[in-house]
Every structure is written in structure tokens, then in C-alpha cells.
Amino acid sequence: MIRESLMEVGRINMRMEELRSKGRAEDDQEMLDLSMEKARMLRPCVNLTAEDKVFLARKIERPHIDDFIKALFTDFFEQRGDHLYDDDPAIYGGIARFHGIPVSVVGHRKGHTAEENVAYNFGMAKPEGYRKALRIMDQAEKFGRPIITFIDTPGAFPGIDAEEHGQGEAIARNMARMSSYHVPVISIVTGEGSSGGALALGVCNRLLMLEYAVYSVLSPEGFASILWKDSSRHAEACEIMKLTADDIREAHVADEVIPEPLGGGQENPRRLYGSMDMAIEKNLSALMAMSPGELLRDRRRKFRGMQ
Amino acid sequence: MEKEERSLKTVFRTVTRKLAPDYVNCKSCGRRAVRKVWQENMNICPFCGRYQAMSADQRLSLIFDPGSRQDFNSDAGVRDPLNFPGYSEKAKKLEKKTGLKESAVTAFGRINGIKVVAVVLDTRFFMGSMSSRVGEKVTRAVETADREKLPLIIFAASGGARMQEGIHSLMQMAKTSSAVQEFSENGGLYISCLTHPTTGGVTASFATLGDITLAEPGALIGFAGPRVIEQTIGVKLPKGFQRAEYLHKHGFVDRIVKRQELKEVLYDILKLHEDSRGAFTEDILKGGSR
């Protein structure tokens, strides 16, 4: 388990940040020692188990949709609410430019602090959230803008009001409508993509996954508790579920895996954004060369072929 | 000596069980009735009126005109894409027990003469869960209805996604929803009938995308299971939560239909759409408005 070494890396990062802010020449030797120590601590991250990747995918320091929108897009205009009932803070999105091209961007929202996570409900959306995403995406279809979705959720929110407002219908409707768009749709699983709550933003032409992201039918805990009535068999579930980015690509569900810095995106966010930018740019230009009809058929064919 | 006694007891018990009339115990009130009475009552408890599950065969004979049923894609059995420990063996055991190769049965048939495509999920097979083969069978049924310009009726009953097939199971939600969307764009009529229980990935895909949504009395219908909700939010759930009547009240079910009336209600809906199929749709196409 890489948990301990990553905690140590976190401490080193903090100390390095502190020294850097002071900017004193006499600290140079300590800085050098620290960076060597950090490299040593990150060494186990070369070979990660599925459980390690689940841990990384959920890490609170991991870059989230707010960071991606700031780093990869310009002129972001946030759109709020489903304009039917409510605004769900677990979904975040709007209109922006990617390399100058107007696009619609939407995804699950997670925070970097406990307070933020509570405010965003840990990225667990209610029907209002899925309908907000649908509103954003329907407008993209109307105005011919490409759609880019970021997937990062433990699942749809299981609650009384969520059920009363049609959680199942909201997810189903999103998938059905996404399958009928004539604009490019690119989805990127950036953290944990669990259950229908993830797929509700994932009916795309191209599915990309960050190297340490995971995608699965249910959280490993839920999986273990349903199949074995024992949620503590988490590690075993992680292995058996074949949920890592490489597994998902081998299953012909993901099209591409975006490499991450050693130890995860949070260790070198700028490098991660660089890789993401390249991957989105490449796939988007390929898709934008296709006609509206081709884009629709391409997406339908992709999901029709899911065995 | 003791061992012998026990084995004699076992033999006695087995013999008496075989000789006794075949009883069914009601899962809600616990009272028992002879199986034949039970079946003649459409698997509704003769004492408490509670609906119990119907097999796919029972369901289709309930709604189809005698002799009109014609199954298709019936030999597609379980796939095991993750090589999941014990999964294939369990599937074989269930096949032997139920005679089903998968939890979905797809068939043509006639309802008072009107030809339809029907899909029934059978809960005796992995709780009617959606495997990649179930997704494929549902999708093919939708495509068949689309191609042959027939109305589509799906009886959902499912525990949700088939965990043993992981991501492959999840993707069936998108596949089936996409197929229903295309069918709908082409003017097809889809009647979704939610039966006990309809949950998880089936609720969150084709089951809630019907033009008309019916439900059976008392059926549990929801996305998250009641236990998961209770554990997550730590609140006791309201009475009747996620039952058909509750969804009817909250506007997600058009009508709750008793088994005694099911065939006639389906027929009425089909009749109301009969003319729109040919004339109306053709006119739109000829007018070139799309």
C-alpha cells in the first residue's frame, strides 16, 4: 500500500513549499535532500495495485473539475441549475473556450477540503444535477458546440428526495439524449467513475481516462457488500473488478489512457494538464472533422458494440 | 444407531414431502395454498392479495393470445467477461433449475390480435440483473420492434446491474438507452411495465424511458436500494417509499395495473396508437419536416 509513502511525500511537499517561500540560499542543501527523499518515497508508485489506484483516484489533493477548467479553458461562463426545480452543487459546468473554440463543459464536482466536499455532496449528484448537465449539453447540441465532460463520482446520491424526483429517470434520460447528439462528445474519467451516476455523463464519442482513474459498475465497497455481504473485502474487490484505466481500455470501453506524473496528478499538476490538453486537442480535432451525422452514428456504433 | 435414526428421519421427510400436495407459502402473510390455486390466481396471494413474482412464461401467457408466442434470441447464454470466480458454475446451476439461459426472454406475440415485441425479465435468474447478454437481448428486441414497426412492451424486474460482469454490465445501460432513443425517434411505441422489484441499472436505463409507464401494485421501484439509502442518510424511510403507488403519486408512473386487467389495458393503449403508426408518421415523413 502506497498510502504511507504518499503521506510522507505530502509532508515533504509542505516543507519544500515553506523553504521555497523563504527563498534563502542556505536552505539549498535541505531542498536537494528533500527532493531526493521525495523521489525515493515515490519509487513504489512505479508498480501500483488496483487498490492503490482506487486510493489515488479518491485522493482529496487530486486535481478536480475546477482545476481543469482553470487550466485548460478560457472565458468560462458558469451555468446554474436545471431551470426546473433546483441547482445541484455536485454538478459544475457551463460554456468556455478550448483553444479558442466555444465548447460546453460539465462534470461532477469534488472539493479539496472537507468543507468543500460537504458543499458539493462529494460529487454525488441528485436528479437536479443530471438535469442541469442535460440542460448544458442540450444547449451545446443546439449551438453546435462540442461537449467535454469530466467524470469523478462515487455514484448517484442515494436519498429520499433523489428517489422522489426520479433519480433513475434522470440518469436514463441523460444517456438516451447524449446518444442522439450531433456534436463531438469527449468524456474523461478523472477520478472515480462509479455506477450509473458516472455513465450519466459518459455517453461519448471518445472516452479518455487518466492513468490512475478507475471506472466501475459500483464502488469496490458496494461491490463487496452486495456479492459477499462483506464490505471489508475491499482490496479483493478492487482486483477482481478490473476497474483500472488499463483494464477499461483492454475491455474496449476506454479509447485512451492519459499518463499521469509518478505518484498521481497532484504531484505535478502542470504536467498532468499538459497531457490532458494534448489528448483533448488531438481527439477533438479528429471529431470536428466529422459531419454531424457521422458523429451521431459513431457514438451509436460505439455503444451498440459494448458487449 | 443415532446416525441410522437420522437418515431414516430424512427419508421419511423426503417421502412425505413428495406425497403431500404441492404448496406455496406466501412471502408476505406466510399462509400457504396449493400451487395450482396459487397459479390460477396469477401468483397473487389468495389470502392477503400481495403480488408475487411471475416467471417469464407465466407473464407471456397472461398477455399473449394463446399460440401466438414466438421467442427469438432464446439461445444466448451467460458470458463471463471477467472470468469471475464461480460465476459460470452458478449460471449453469440456475439454467438447470429454471430452464432459462439468461434472465431476459424476448418474444413476438399478439395481444387481442395486435402483434407486438415483448421482453420479460425473470427474477429467478440472478435476480433479473442486467448482464451483457441481457443488454444485448433487450437491444435486439428494441431493434426488432423498430425494424418491423411493432410496438414494444418491456416487463422490468431486476436487482440492477450484474455485478459479476463489472464494467460490461454497466455499459448495457448506455446501449439499451441508446437503442430506445433511436426507436423513439423513429416513432415507435414503447410501453414499460415495472414489476417487483425494478431497481438500479435497469431503473436507470430502459425501464424509465417508456412512452407509457405502468406498474404492478406494491412493486418496489427505485434507483438505490432502501437499505443503502437508510445507511447513507441515517433516516427512517417514509411508509410506502419506492412502492408503485408512491411513484404514481410522485408522477413517474402513468397507471397502476392489476394483473386481472393487464391484457385489456395493454390492448387499449395499443389501440390508441394503432392509427398513429401508419398514417400520421408516414405523413410527417412525406412532408419532410425532419
Side-chain angles (χ1 to χ4, degrees), chain A residues 48-158:
Chain A
L48 297 177
T49 63
E51 191 189 13
D52 289 336
K53 288 181 183 173
V54 171
F55 172 73
L56 281 176
R58 292 173 175 174
K59 221 167 160 14
I60 199 163
E61 295 88 357
R62 193 169 172 81
H64 296 141
I65 187 167
D66 293 67
D67 309 298
F68 301 136
I69 288 180
K70 272 192 209 111
L72 304 171
F73 301 85
T74 56
D75 307 309
F76 177 60
F77 178 84
E78 187 189 353
Q79 288 178 286
R80 281 285 187 103
D82 57 3
H83 292 207
L84 295 165
Y85 176 72
D86 207 356
D87 180 55
D88 184 352
I91 297 284
Y92 185 53
I95 314 162
R97 284 180 193 275
F98 179 79
H99 290 221
I101 306 160
V103 298
S104 283
V105 51
V106 62
H108 305 96
R109 195 176 201 183
K110 281 193 189 174
H112 291 303
T113 61
E115 292 77 30
E116 278 176 1
N117 265 333
V118 169
Y120 306 152
N121 202 20
F122 301 86
M124 294 187 286
K126 296 178 179 176
E128 295 77 46
Y130 295 114
R131 290 176 189 137
K132 168 181 176 177
L134 187 61
R135 181 180 154 245
I136 291 172
M137 295 189 290
D138 274 352
Q139 284 184 18
E141 166 83 353
K142 175 182 172 185
F143 293 106
R145 290 192 289 261
I147 298 168
I148 296 165
T149 71
F150 292 102
I151 295 171
D152 189 6
T153 179
F157 183 64

Side-chain angles (χ1 to χ4, degrees), chain B residues 161-227:
Chain B
R162 179 91 43 94
M163 290 300 136
Q164 292 89 339
E165 295 190 17
I167 195 79
H168 301 272
S169 169
L170 185 69
M171 289 300 138
Q172 304 311 310
M173 292 170 63
K175 183 163 94 181
T176 53
S177 301
S178 170
V180 168
Q181 173 74 21
E182 199 172 345
F183 177 59
S184 178
E185 285 167 13
N186 293 337
L189 166 67
Y190 166 27
I191 305 170
S192 176
C193 186
L194 310 174
T195 71
H196 182 75
T198 302
T199 58
V202 167
T203 301
S205 63
F206 60 87
T208 46
L209 293 172
D211 299 297
I212 307 282
T213 306
L214 308 176
E216 286 207 319
L220 179 85
I221 303 158
F223 177 66
R227 228 168 4 125

Side-chain angles (χ1 to χ4, degrees), chain B residues 2-13:
Chain B
E2 203 182 85
K3 209 174 181 183
E4 215 168 80
E5 228 170 60
R6 202 181 300 152
S7 73
L8 267 175
K9 249 185 206 164
T10 321
V11 169
F12 181 71
R13 217 179 287 149

Side-chain angles (χ1 to χ4, degrees), chain A residues 156 158 163-169 172 175-176 179-180 195 199 217 223 227 240 242 253 300 303-304 306-307, chain B residues 79 82 84-85 132 136 143 161 163 166 168 170 172 174-175 177 181-182 185 204-205 208 222-224 242 246 252:
Chain A
E163 292 291 322
E164 284 176 355
H165 301 162
Q167 188 70 288
E169 191 273 349
M175 294 188 299
S179 78
S180 71
S195 93
L199 190 55
V217 64
F223 183 89
L227 273 180
I240 213 166
K242 304 211 171 82
V253 172
R300 288 231 162 114
F303 284 89
R304 181 62 188 87
M306 294 289 178
Q307 289 300 327
Chain B
R79 272 175 85 231
L82 300 187
F84 197 90
S132 70
E136 183 66 23
E143 288 167 348
M163 290 300 136
H168 301 272
L170 185 69
Q172 304 311 310
K175 183 163 94 181
S177 301
Q181 173 74 21
E182 199 172 345
E185 285 167 13
S205 63
T208 46
F223 177 66
Q242 289 184 322
Y246 197 85
F252 287 94

